[in-house]
Amino acid sequence: HYFIQSNLSMETTGWQKVNQVLGSLRVGKIGEQCENIVKLPSIFEEYPFPILIDAVFLKLGDIFRECNNNFIRFCILKVIVSTSQHHNKISGQDIFLRPVLSVSHSNDAVARAITLRVLGVSAALFPEKKNVLHCVVRGLDSHMELERDAALFACKQYAAMSQDVCKTVVPKLEELLTSLSSTETLKIKILDVFQSMNYDLETSQQVRCVCWKLLDDQATERITDSCLKTLTQMVVSTLSCPREVQNPA
């Protein structure tokens, strides 16, 4: 009986602290709002109640869409990154995703880049959502380096979790990798994504051909090094799927 009362008292206190933070976002200066947002991870640690954490994340999704300020969005990103151990307590994944994803259609490239980062660090919540993958692939086409780098980050997170995602993104990555306009730095970033992929035999064959083509095209030392790392990691990943090796499609 005492334990139940104590637990209820703790949860009530947690709600009070959360409401203080969220209430402050309606008033005050941007700096003060950001200071309050970054208090949330410590509140989650002290009061790790699923219903509380779920409600806060849903509210953060709304704030992310409505705030029209990239510094606040960046603070929300920091909260999401530092509370990854609590993501399994979010039951309303789709409700959280909807307002966040709407910012990907903004005319502001920085806002779109932060959105892609949020999607990347939240990959475990929706690993194969088609609208999320469409947003990531669209970001890869951006001419803004900030946005494209964020898309590559998100791509890396999703491709590490799902072979189906790999099949979706490999053609676009191959197109970028073989483009004459792609810089050495961009090619190395793409190869880094390849090193983290969850391969099946089909995608491994595609990536193998791309890497050998790069090596044949008088690759620089840095690209050669990245290609060899990719090929090594790909072999390790493919061999971890014995059923596919024994029964290739």
Side-chain angles (χ1 to χ4, degrees):
H1 180 69
Y2 171 77
F3 174 78
I4 294 174
Q5 280 191 324
S6 175
N7 213 36
L8 287 172
S9 177
M10 281 184 64
E11 187 169 349
T12 300
T13 305
W15 278 110
Q16 290 171 345
K17 291 190 175 185
V18 162
N19 286 331
Q20 286 176 359
V21 169
L22 297 179
S24 72
L25 301 182
R26 303 190 191 97
V27 293
K29 299 177 180 178
I30 298 297
E32 293 172 352
Q33 293 179 33
C34 292
E35 283 180 16
N36 284 315
I37 288 174
V38 296
K39 292 176 183 176
L40 288 171
S42 60
I43 295 176
F44 289 174
E45 288 304 307
E46 193 172 356
Y47 308 98
F49 301 103
I51 191 171
L52 182 148
I53 291 171
D54 182 52
V56 172
F57 266 89
L58 300 189
K59 184 62 177 175
L60 286 178
D62 289 335
I63 295 169
F64 189 88
R65 174 181 57 192
E66 296 164 3
C67 69
N68 201 30
N69 184 283
N70 287 330
F71 193 48
I72 290 178
R73 289 184 176 123
F74 181 72
C75 289
I76 291 174
L77 169 61
K78 287 181 65 177
V79 169
I80 296 171
V81 169
S82 59
T83 57
S84 58
Q85 71 273 28
H86 296 295
H87 288 182
N88 61 347
K89 299 183 176 80
I90 304 173
S91 58
Q93 292 99 330
D94 288 343
I95 301 174
F96 168 70
L97 173 63
R98 200 172 300 122
V100 170
L101 201 57
S102 69
V103 182
S104 70
H105 300 288
S106 169
N107 291 326
D108 182 349
V110 176
R112 296 196 302 268
I114 297 173
T115 301
L116 286 163
R117 295 275 175 183
V118 169
L119 295 175
V121 298
S122 309
L125 293 176
F126 16 79
E128 294 185 348
K129 284 276 187 183
K130 293 191 184 310
N131 51 353
V132 173
L133 295 180
H134 178 72
C135 173
V136 171
V137 172
R138 189 171 68 237
L140 293 172
D141 278 326
S142 175
H143 296 294
M144 301 291 292
E145 185 178 4
L146 183 72
E147 183 177 8
R148 191 176 55 213
D149 282 354
L152 285 168
F153 167 78
C155 188
K156 183 175 181 178
Q157 312 312 308
Y158 286 94
M161 304 179 76
S162 167
Q163 293 180 346
D164 287 339
V165 171
C166 293
K167 291 176 182 177
T168 300
V169 300
V170 162
K172 171 54 66 176
L173 294 175
E174 179 181 353
E175 177 187 323
L176 286 172
L177 196 57
T178 55
S179 170
L180 294 176
S181 62
S182 293
T183 64
E184 178 189 60
T185 299
L186 175 57
K187 290 178 180 181
I188 289 171
K189 289 175 181 177
I190 294 170
L191 288 167
D192 182 59
V193 175
F194 283 157
Q195 290 166 28
S196 301
M197 282 189 169
N198 182 2
Y199 285 102
D200 62 10
L201 290 178
E202 180 184 345
T203 51
S204 68
Q205 185 175 8
Q206 284 180 276
V207 172
R208 186 186 302 113
C209 290
V210 174
C211 287
W212 281 117
K213 185 176 187 304
L214 280 176
L215 290 171
D216 287 339
D217 289 344
Q218 297 180 334
T220 65
E221 184 177 342
R222 292 176 66 207
I223 289 180
T224 299
D225 184 55
S226 292
C227 280
L228 294 177
K229 286 181 180 177
T230 299
L231 290 167
T232 301
Q233 185 57 43
M234 184 176 60
V235 169
V236 172
S237 177
T238 307
L239 290 179
S240 68
C241 306
R243 285 181 299 176
E244 291 195 34
V245 173
Q246 292 169 9
N247 301 295

